[in-house]
């Protein structure tokens, strides 16, 4: 079976997230995001180039979760797809591109956080050594 992949996007939240609801009561999360870009120099160093800004949206329950978890400035990684649609701006029709995120999480390479698990995992208890097997000293990871 092949590995299923999707488009991904990483960056930072450049605006305060917004949460709205449609007539059916479905949530829509919207935020303006920024992506920093870098060029590699011949000596192996990097030079930062222009930062670009884009729209990111999420829908339904995931939108509500994202709104509760994210703030302006947070570094993120998203999975989803790019959607382009025509919109009216100043009397003209323009193509607007947005990233529709199916999943959204904090970028662990750029974020320090404490994880709170949804389920509790019982603590490991050392096994009682039996006469048939030699005792094994637990190794801390």
């Amino acid at each position: 079976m092949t590995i299923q992949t999707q488009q991904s996007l990483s960056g930072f939240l450049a605006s305060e997230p917004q949460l709205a609801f449609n007539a059916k009561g479905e949530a829509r999360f919207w935020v303006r995001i920024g992506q920093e870009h870098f060029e590699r120099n011949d000596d192996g160093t990097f030079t930062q180039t222009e930062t670009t800004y884009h729209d990111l949206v999420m829908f339904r329950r995931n939108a509500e979760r994202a709104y509760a978890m994210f703030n302006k400035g947070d570094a993120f990684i998203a999975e989803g797809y790019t959607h382009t649609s025509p919109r009216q701006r100043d009397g003209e029709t323009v193509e607007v591109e947005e990233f529709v995120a199916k999943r959204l999480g904090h970028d662990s390479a750029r974020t320090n956080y404490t994880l709170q698990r949804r389920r509790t995992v019982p603590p490991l208890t050392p096994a009682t050594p039996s006469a048939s097997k030699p005792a094994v000293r637990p190794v801390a990871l």
Side-chain angles (χ1 to χ4, degrees):
M1 186 173 247
T2 61
I3 297 174
Q4 294 183 2
T5 61
Q6 293 203 7
Q7 292 179 348
S8 65
L9 172 71
S10 63
F12 64 93
L13 275 61
S15 70
E16 287 296 333
Q18 297 178 15
L19 186 66
F21 294 87
N22 65 14
K24 295 180 184 178
E26 296 172 330
R28 179 182 185 270
F29 173 88
W30 175 89
V31 68
R32 191 82 171 147
I33 62 101
Q35 283 191 302
E36 297 172 325
H37 300 279
F38 297 86
E39 286 182 354
R40 185 181 180 96
N41 302 318
D42 292 336
D43 65 357
T45 61
F46 293 89
T47 301
Q48 186 170 359
T49 60
E50 182 181 1
T51 299
T52 58
Y53 296 90
H54 313 275
D55 293 337
L56 181 141
V57 295
M58 286 188 88
F59 297 100
R60 298 176 193 78
R61 182 72 179 131
N62 285 341
E64 295 178 57
R65 288 184 183 134
Y67 184 73
M69 291 175 51
F70 285 89
N71 292 311
K72 181 179 179 178
D74 287 352
F76 72 91
I77 297 176
E79 174 186 83
Y81 59 94
T82 304
H83 175 74
T84 305
S85 61
R87 302 258 171 88
Q88 291 290 322
R89 280 200 186 147
D90 300 326
E92 293 184 34
T93 302
V94 295
E95 290 291 315
V96 176
E97 184 178 62
E98 63 187 5
F99 189 83
V100 181
K102 293 182 177 182
R103 290 186 167 87
L104 182 65
H106 288 96
D107 184 347
S108 63
R110 298 174 63 194
T111 306
N112 294 325
Y113 57 91
T114 302
L115 181 63
Q116 293 182 346
R117 299 204 182 271
R118 292 185 193 168
R119 62 181 175 87
T120 57
V121 179
L124 295 176
T125 55
T128 307
S130 67
S132 61
K133 291 185 178 178
V136 177
R137 198 157 120 200
V139 176
L141 298 176

